[in-house]
């Protein structure tokens, strides 16, 4: 792994570092390299532009680790309003919904005392009900490994009513290969993983994570579900294209996913070639945790941010 990764991920969990970074007069355009805006008024023009470029979108309202019921209810209300806004721009590319929302169960109340998992499950069911009415997809985001089992338990329960519900699996976790086998008939977003995890549950070396991703990808491509290949790694993108050809998957039976603000020319190239390409678009004021994880993934992102910080401060 890049030696800066554990340092940056440690900073993502540091309240002191958060106060320093968020308190610095960094101009909006710096953060907006990776975040579409603070509210839906800024988000919607970004979404329209992406859809006009033949790309698909998955929108994440930033926020996690909610410990207050009122905040969980507010997050649910924001997602319901977001789905309404996306519905006006929705449609299908073959059998693939053009618009999707991504949601963390911790943002819906999973960590609330006593009945948190039940609250998050019910809130997710409400979201899916609304999304199904207007043809918008929903995918449940992954968080750190301590929440993985609870998250997948909720996904299994809600999928009984909404079988199209997507889930995210992280290839760096030791358990993910087995999870892919169990869920290979579902809509699964496979990513490398973005949290700081101990060696007891996660691969630590980049080559090990890549190898795990390839094993997991082969399982998903060989299954009956809908693989969502979330990576910027050219090696893994080529592997996905090859596996799709070998398993007879057309562009309506899998998709590539990339983050907003990263490798935009490659996104456009893949879309122009007829591939389904979905862009993960975050918005909201709670951008610090998301941004630091993106910086940890690619040192080039950190260089960009620091240069901008120095020049604009």
């Amino acid at each position: 792994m890049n030696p800066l990764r554990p340092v940056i991920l440690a900073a993502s969990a540091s309240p002191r570092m958060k106060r320093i970074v968020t308190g610095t007069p960094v101009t909006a355009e710096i953060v907006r390299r990776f975040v579409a805006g603070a509210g839906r008024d800024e988000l919607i023009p970004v979404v329209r532009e992406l859809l006009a470029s033949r790309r698909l979108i998955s929108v994440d309202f930033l926020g996690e680790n909610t410990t207050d019921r009122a905040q969980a209810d507010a997050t649910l209300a924001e997602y319901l309003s977001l789905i309404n806004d996306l519905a006006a721009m929705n449609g299908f590319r073959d059998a693939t919904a053009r618009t999707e929302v991504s949601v963390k169960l911790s943002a819906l109340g999973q960590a609330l005392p006593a009945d948190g998992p039940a609250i998050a499950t019910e809130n997710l069911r409400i979201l899916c009900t609304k999304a199904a009415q207007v043809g918008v997809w929903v995918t449940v985001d992954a968080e750190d490994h301590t929440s993985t089992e609870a998250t997948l338990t909720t996904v299994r329960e809600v999928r009984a009513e909404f079988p199209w519900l997507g889930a995210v699996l992280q290839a760096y976790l030791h358990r993910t290969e087995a999870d892919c086998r169990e869920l290979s008939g579902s809509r699964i977003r496979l990513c490398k993983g973005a949290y700081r995890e101990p060696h007891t549950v996660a691969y630590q070396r980049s080559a090990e994570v890549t190898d795990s991703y390839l094993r997991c990808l082969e399982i998903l491509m060989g299954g009956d579900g809908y693989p969502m290949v979330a990576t910027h790694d050219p090696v893994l993108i080529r592997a996905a294209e090859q596996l799709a050809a070998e398993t007879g998957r057309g562009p309506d039976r899998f998709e590539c996913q990339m983050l907003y603000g990263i490798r935009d020319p490659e996104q456009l190239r893949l879309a122009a070639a007829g591939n389904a390409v979905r862009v993960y678009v975050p918005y909201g004021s709670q951008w610090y945790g998301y941004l630091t994880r993106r910086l940890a993934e690619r040192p080039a992102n950190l260089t960009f941010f620091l240069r901008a910080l120095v020049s604009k401060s």
Side-chain angles (χ1 to χ4, degrees):
M1 289 290 186
N2 185 282
L4 288 176
R5 176 180 167 86
V7 177
I8 300 171
L9 288 178
S12 73
S14 167
R16 179 175 179 273
M17 186 60 67
K18 180 179 180 179
R19 288 194 300 270
I20 293 172
V21 173
T22 58
T24 302
V26 182
T27 55
E29 62 265 25
I30 296 173
V31 175
R32 286 194 63 173
R33 162 78 181 256
F34 307 99
V35 178
R40 275 178 284 124
D41 58 332
E42 295 176 293
L43 166 74
I44 296 305
V46 172
V47 168
R48 291 189 186 279
E49 183 178 353
L50 289 168
L51 292 174
S53 69
R54 300 176 62 184
R55 286 174 282 185
L56 317 173
I57 57 100
S58 185
V59 181
D60 175 20
F61 176 56
L62 295 172
E64 52 194 280
N65 300 322
T66 297
T67 56
D68 178 82
R69 179 62 187 268
Q71 186 179 356
D73 291 343
T75 297
L76 174 62
E78 176 65 22
Y79 267 104
L80 292 173
S81 296
L82 171 62
I83 288 172
N84 276 332
D85 288 347
L86 295 180
M89 298 176 282
N90 198 29
F92 283 83
R93 178 194 183 277
D94 298 320
T96 305
R98 296 177 72 218
T99 61
E100 175 192 76
V101 296
S102 289
V103 60
K104 292 178 173 62
L105 291 187
S106 68
L108 296 182
Q110 187 182 56
L112 292 174
D115 54 354
I119 291 171
T121 299
E122 181 57 26
N123 284 342
L124 179 62
R125 185 175 284 109
I126 292 170
L127 276 186
C128 289
T129 299
K130 178 64 177 178
Q133 292 171 352
V134 296
V136 173
W137 275 353
V138 178
T139 289
V140 177
D141 262 328
E143 301 181 64
D144 70 74
H145 80 278
T146 62
S147 67
T148 301
E149 188 56 41
T151 295
L152 292 181
T153 296
T154 291
V155 168
R156 293 183 193 102
E157 180 177 341
V158 177
R159 269 197 181 138
E161 187 175 355
F162 303 98
W164 48 265
L165 176 64
V168 178
L169 297 178
Q170 302 180 101
Y172 68 174
L173 294 180
H174 297 158
R175 62 171 289 164
T176 298
E177 195 171 345
D179 289 334
C180 284
R181 290 194 181 93
E182 178 192 349
L183 301 170
S184 63
S186 308
R187 200 165 61 85
I188 295 295
R189 177 192 299 157
L190 181 65
C191 64
K192 285 187 175 180
Y195 292 84
R196 189 183 187 187
E197 302 285 17
H199 68 89
T200 52
V201 301
Y203 299 110
Q204 303 296 308
R205 298 177 58 226
S206 179
E208 292 175 325
V209 176
T210 296
D211 287 345
S212 176
Y213 195 108
L214 288 170
R215 292 193 301 271
C216 293
L217 184 60
E218 185 172 2
I219 293 168
L220 295 177
M221 285 290 191
D224 297 325
Y226 182 82
M228 300 179 285
V229 186
T231 182
H232 305 97
D233 188 333
V235 172
L236 296 180
I237 292 172
R238 287 194 297 270
E241 292 174 327
Q242 182 177 346
L243 283 169
E246 292 174 356
T247 56
R249 286 183 179 270
D252 61 330
R253 295 188 57 210
F254 82 103
E255 65 184 46
C256 297
Q257 295 192 355
M258 295 189 185
L259 299 172
Y260 175 67
I262 300 180
R263 298 202 73 195
D264 196 66
E266 177 66 2
Q267 294 177 20
L268 291 170
R269 183 193 71 80
L270 288 167
N275 297 286
V277 179
R278 193 176 304 273
V279 184
Y280 186 94
V281 187
Y283 80 104
S285 60
Q286 302 300 312
W287 51 262
Y288 178 76
Y290 174 84
L291 181 61
T292 51
R293 290 193 292 272
R294 299 295 78 77
L295 298 180
E297 287 172 350
R298 298 185 73 235
N301 294 345
L302 179 61
T303 300
F304 168 84
F305 183 78
L306 291 177
R307 286 176 178 170
L309 187 68
V310 171
S311 65
K312 298 294 184 179
S313 296

